[in-house]
């Protein structure tokens, strides 16, 4: 469904546009002014004249879009006047520096969720409930089968898996920005890397270069992480048995894997909740951990927004909108647009034809 003409937000070929602020939210193409919810590649694209984003995401945005971009860093909760609109960014709990964006003008308020989750995550600020007349929510995991357990519980499972195979390297594959750092922070939170625990000196967690590149931003943000080393810094021929390694899915079955003798492998993703997804990709184990809201989290957030009109993007947008209308009596529609097609990091369920279009080889990633 298109947005009603004359609304505060409209859908243009470049993406969601707020005429009052003369700004696009997470535009798909270069525009003069972009309001960015977070630094994942399908939300933050190069070539825009001016970027507004939460300060905690600045280092990663500059790393990904170019050091020279014109970026206006903002704080969570701060109110900005942009053109004729009042705009504020509020924590989305998705990844470091992620935000929901609230816009208000002409007596109308809209909230754009970006990607968000409600589970506690020690690597970023928690989701903050915000109210608005209209809420645009994502629905990547918009089915009742998706219900997440806590990150601490998943970290404990991972620790058991790792410790049960001291004669092998244990390689976890996870999305490089956000998921990998959350995994490290969740492991630190259950003691990994502290005195006498696994992951301490001489047994640091090893990182693929793509993961390593994101670490300075997290360390500078003060996120508590266990000691890590780049895998490439280990002397050649060193026995890496008993080491935990974190790498991007693109490294799975690549030449990079050759230095690990008979490693055990696991994939970490919300999609691991789908039967068969792990086996199809050739991982020995799957751990279910997502940086998106699960079904109860989506419903809770829609209700918490107090919105009288809801639009749904990504994933099962039809199903969530129907549920909201029929069960919760909230006016809700899927939002037409290129949201799903524009997912560069594979937001679709695994095994869906075309799901990995344009995803640079990491089709099971959640962005
Ligand atoms: Zn994302």
């Amino acid at each position: 469904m298109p947005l009603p003409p004359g609304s505060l937000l409209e859908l243009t070929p470049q993406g969601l546009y707020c005429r009052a602020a003369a700004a696009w939210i997470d535009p798909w193409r270069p525009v003069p002014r972009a309001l960015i919810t977070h630094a994942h590649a399908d939300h933050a694209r190069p070539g825009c004249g001016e970027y507004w984003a939460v300060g905690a995401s600045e280092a990663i945005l500059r790393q990904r879009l170019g050091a020279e971009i014109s970026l206006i860093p903002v704080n969570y909760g701060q109110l900005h006047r942009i053109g004729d609109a009042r705009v504020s960014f509020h924590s989305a709990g998705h990844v470091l520096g992620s935000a929901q964006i609230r816009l208000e003008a002409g007596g109308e308020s809209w909230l754009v969720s970006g990607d968000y989750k409600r589970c506690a995550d020690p690597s970023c600020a928690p989701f903050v409930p915000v109210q608005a007349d209209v809420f645009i929510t994502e629905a990547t995991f918009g089915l009742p089968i998706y219900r997440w357990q806590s990150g601490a519980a998943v970290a404990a499972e991972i620790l058991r898996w790792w410790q049960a195979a001291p004669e092998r390297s244990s390689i976890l594959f996870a999305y490089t920005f956000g998921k990998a750092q959350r995994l490290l922070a969740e492991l630190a939170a259950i003691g990994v890397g502290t005195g006498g625990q696994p992951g301490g000196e001489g047994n640091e967690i090893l990182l693929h270069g793509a993961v390593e590149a994101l670490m300075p931003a997290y360390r500078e943000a003060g996120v508590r992480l266990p000691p890590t080393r780049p895998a490439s810094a280990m002397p050649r021929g060193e026995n890496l048995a008993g080491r935990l390694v974190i790498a991007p899915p693109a490294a799975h079955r690549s030449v990079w894997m050759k230095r690990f003798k008979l490693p055990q492998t696991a994939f970490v993703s919300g999609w691991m909740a789908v039967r068969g997804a792990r086996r199809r990709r050739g991982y020995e184990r799957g751990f279910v951990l997502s940086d998106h809201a699960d079904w109860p989290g989506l419903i809770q957030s829609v209700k918490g927004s107090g919105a009288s009109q809801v639009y749904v993007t990504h994933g099962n947008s039809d199903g969530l909108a129907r549920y909201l209308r029929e069960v919760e009596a909230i006016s809700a529609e899927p939002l037409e647009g290129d949201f799903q097609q524009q997912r560069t990091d594979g937001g679709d369920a695994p095994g869906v034809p075309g799901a990995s279009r344009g995803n640079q080889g990491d089709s099971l990633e959640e962005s």
Side-chain angles (χ1 to χ4, degrees):
M1 175 170 182
L3 295 172
S7 301
L8 182 60
L9 293 191
E10 54 195 283
L11 210 45
T12 71
Q14 291 81 12
L16 271 178
Y17 177 58
C18 178
R19 192 174 293 278
W24 281 261
I25 298 137
D26 293 350
W28 303 317
R29 300 179 192 169
V31 296
R33 178 182 287 151
L35 312 179
I36 300 297
T37 62
H38 65 290
H40 276 145
D42 55 331
H43 292 262
R45 291 158 191 277
C48 295
E50 176 182 296
Y51 294 89
W52 292 62
V54 172
S57 64
E58 178 170 359
I60 295 166
L61 283 169
R62 289 194 186 281
Q63 203 171 320
R64 301 190 140 196
L65 305 180
E68 73 294 346
I69 57 166
S70 167
L71 192 148
I72 297 152
V74 302
N75 296 322
Y76 288 128
Q78 206 179 340
L79 198 59
H80 301 270
R81 182 164 281 282
I82 307 179
D84 295 328
R86 287 188 295 173
V87 179
S88 50
F89 292 64
H90 306 270
S91 182
H94 175 57
V95 292
L96 186 65
S98 65
Q100 312 165 71
I101 299 180
R102 187 178 188 280
L103 305 103
E104 193 178 334
E108 207 182 325
S109 60
W110 287 56
L111 179 66
V112 180
S113 76
D115 292 341
Y116 68 97
K117 72 170 176 293
R118 306 301 303 259
C119 297
D121 174 347
S123 71
C124 66
F127 179 95
V128 170
V130 181
Q131 299 215 320
D133 302 329
V134 184
F135 183 33
I136 301 181
T137 180
E138 63 131 327
T140 304
F141 290 96
L143 282 171
I145 56 164
Y146 296 115
R147 288 162 200 270
W148 310 141
Q149 50 171 340
S150 71
V154 178
E157 271 180 34
I158 289 172
L159 180 59
R160 280 195 294 276
W161 169 78
W162 171 25
Q163 295 299 290
E167 72 295 351
R168 303 173 76 185
S169 308
S170 297
I171 310 184
L172 286 174
F173 294 90
Y175 188 53
T176 50
F177 165 41
K179 185 64 60 64
Q181 294 76 26
R182 179 183 179 194
L183 270 174
L184 288 164
E186 298 281 10
L187 288 166
I190 62 164
V192 167
T194 51
Q197 298 295 314
E201 201 181 338
N203 192 23
E204 300 91 343
I205 295 173
L206 303 180
L207 305 180
H208 183 281
V211 176
E212 180 67 30
L214 276 309
M215 298 304 290
Y218 277 80
R219 296 203 189 274
E220 277 160 34
V223 176
R224 190 179 150 220
L225 299 161
T228 60
R229 291 187 71 175
S232 59
M234 299 299 286
R236 279 206 174 279
E238 173 112 353
N239 182 2
L240 300 177
R243 303 299 285 253
L244 183 67
V245 187
I246 301 183
H252 186 220
R253 293 174 167 167
S254 73
V255 289
W256 179 85
M257 297 266 296
K258 282 207 169 133
R259 65 175 308 169
F260 305 101
K261 307 263 182 302
L262 292 173
Q264 60 171 352
T265 61
F267 193 76
V268 186
S269 166
W271 298 123
M272 291 297 102
V274 180
R275 186 187 290 270
R278 171 190 62 76
R279 208 175 47 246
R280 274 198 297 279
R281 296 281 293 195
Y283 296 102
E284 286 175 49
R285 182 77 188 262
F287 295 105
V288 183
L289 187 72
S290 177
D291 289 329
H292 293 268
D294 62 3
W295 177 256
L298 291 169
I299 309 296
Q300 179 192 9
S301 304
V302 167
K303 289 184 176 175
S305 74
S308 54
Q309 176 66 50
V310 175
Y311 294 103
V312 188
T313 66
H314 295 100
N316 186 30
S317 52
D318 285 315
L320 178 60
R322 192 178 325 114
Y323 176 89
L324 292 172
R325 286 194 310 271
E326 293 175 2
V327 180
E328 303 290 348
I330 296 170
S331 177
E333 299 292 341
L335 184 58
E336 267 176 19
D338 281 347
F339 298 98
Q340 200 69 26
Q341 286 75 7
Q342 296 292 342
R343 274 251 193 244
T344 51
D345 297 310
D348 310 77
V352 175
S356 59
R357 178 175 28 198
N359 67 0
Q360 299 153 357
D362 294 340
S363 66
L364 277 185
E365 297 194 350
E366 305 156 30
S367 46

